C-alpha cells in the first residue's frame, strides 16, 4: 500500500518537499525534544556506542558494574566517572585507572567538558562530548549497529570480532585464563540455496545465528566470519567446556524447525571446530583461529554434523 505523504512548503521559497509520515513525525519530535549530554566513542573497539548522561554519577570501565562498558583492554575495570554539577556542567574524573584520562597530550585527573571536546581513555579509546536530542540518539544507535553488526544476521561482524579477539587475548594473558574459539559452518548450504532459493537460504542463516546467540553467556561473542561460516569466542572456558558448548550448539541447530512457505522442513546441520588457548601456555590469536579452522575441516572430512576440538599447542 502506498504511504500517505505530507507536503511541507518552505516559507519564501518556491519549493515543495514530499516526506512520508514517519519522517514528518521524526522531525516534529526533534523540534520538541531537549538536548541531553552524551559521550560517544569515536575511536576504539566500541566506536559508535554512546552514553546518555541522565543521572550523576555514572561509571565508565570494563567492569559489569559500570554504566558504560568499554571493551578496550587498556581500560581499567572502573576507569572513570562522569558527574553533573549544580551548574549542569558535565565533568569526567579519573578513578585511579592504570592508563588514565588524557586531554591533548596531558594526563588529567578531572576535565570539565565543552561541546565537541575529546578525551582519550586508556591506550586508544577516544570519547567525544556532545549534547544530543532524540533524533541524534536514534541516529547514533543506528550508526553503532551498522558499524559492529552483520547486516543480514544481526550478530557481530568480522571486523568487530577481530578487534574483540585482540582484547580478549590480552585479558586472558593478564589473568592467565583460558580462551576458546569455535568455528562452524552450515553443512551443504549451497544445496539449500539451489533447492529452495536464496531467500530461504538467508532465513536459514538468520535463524541459525539467532539460535546460537541466544545460547551464549553474556561475556561470549558470536560473529559472522564470512558466507555461511560463523565464529564464537568464549572467555575462560576450559577445553572440555568448549567441547560441551560446541556440542550444545550443534544440537540446537539440528533441532531447529525451519519451514519453507510450502511447509517443507529445511534440514540444517553444522560442523564445528573448537580450539582452546590455555592461560599458562603460548597465547596467540592466529594460532587459535588456525587450530579451530583445522578442526572444522576435519569435522567436515569425517562426515559433517559433528565437533572436533583440541588445545592449541
Amino acid at each position: 500500500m502506498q504511504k500517505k505523504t505530507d507536503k511541507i512548503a518552505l516559507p519564501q521559497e518556491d519549493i515543495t518537499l514530499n516526506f512520508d509520515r514517519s519522517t514528518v513525525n521524526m522531525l516534529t519530535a526533534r523540534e520538541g525534544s531537549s538536548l541531553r549530554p552524551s559521550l560517544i566513542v569515536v575511536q576504539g573497539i566500541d566506536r559508535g556506542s554512546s552514553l546518555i548522561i541522565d543521572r550523576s554519577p555514572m561509571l565508565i570501565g570494563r567492569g559489569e558494574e559500570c554504566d558504560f562498558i568499554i571493551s578496550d583492554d587498556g581500560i581499567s575495570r572502573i576507569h572513570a566517572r562522569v558527574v553533573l554539577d549544580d551548574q549542569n556542567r558535565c565533568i569526567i574524573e579519573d578513578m585511579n585507572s592504570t592508563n588514565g584520562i588524557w586531554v591533548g597530550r596531558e594526563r588529567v585527573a578531572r576535565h570539565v567538558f565543552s561541546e565537541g571536546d575529546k578525551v582519550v581513555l586508556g591506550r586508544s579509546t577516544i570519547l567525544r562530548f556532545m549534547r544530543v536530542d532524540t533524533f541524534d540518539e536514534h541516529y547514533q544507535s543506528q550508526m553503532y549497529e551498522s558499524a559492529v553488526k552483520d547486516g543480514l544476521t544481526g550478530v557481530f561482524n568480522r571486523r568487530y570480532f577481530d578487534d574483540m579477539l585482540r582484547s580478549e587475548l590480552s585479558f586472558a594473558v593478564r589473568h592467565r585464563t583460558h580462551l576458546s574459539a569455535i568455528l562452524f559452518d552450515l553443512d551443504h548450504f549451497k544445496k539449500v540455496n539451489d533447492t529452495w532459493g536464496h531467500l530461504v537460504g538467508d532465513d536459514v542463516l538468520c535463524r541459525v545465528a539467532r539460535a546460537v546467540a541466544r545460547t551464549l553467556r553474556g561475556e561470549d561473542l558470536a560473529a559472522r566470519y564470512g558466507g555461511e561460516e560463523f565464529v564464537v569466542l568464549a572467555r575462560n572456558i576450559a577445553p572440555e567446556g568448549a567441547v560441551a558448548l560446541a556440542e550444545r550448539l550443534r544440537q540446537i541447530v539440528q533441532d531447529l524447525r525451519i519451514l519453507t512457505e510450502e511447509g517443507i522442513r529445511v534440514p540444517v546441520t553444522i560442523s564445528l571446530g573448537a580450539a582452546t588457548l590455555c592461560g599458562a601456555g603460548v597465547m596467540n590469536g592466529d594460532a587459535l583461529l588456525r587450530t579451530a579452522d583445522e578442526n572444522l575441516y576435519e569435522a567436515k572430512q569425517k562426515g559433517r554434523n559433528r565437533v572436533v576440538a583440541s588445545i592449541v599447542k
Side-chain angles (χ1 to χ4, degrees), residues 141-154:
S141 176
Q142 287 185 320
M143 289 294 291
Y144 175 67
E145 289 291 314
S146 64
V148 303
K149 296 291 183 70
D150 174 61
L152 175 64
T153 63

Side-chain angles (χ1 to χ4, degrees), residues 219-240:
E219 61 266 39
D220 299 335
L221 179 149
R224 189 177 182 188
Y225 204 63
E228 67 269 24
E229 191 171 28
F230 295 82
V231 63
V232 169
L233 195 62
R235 175 189 290 187
N236 200 18
I237 290 185
E240 58 272 20

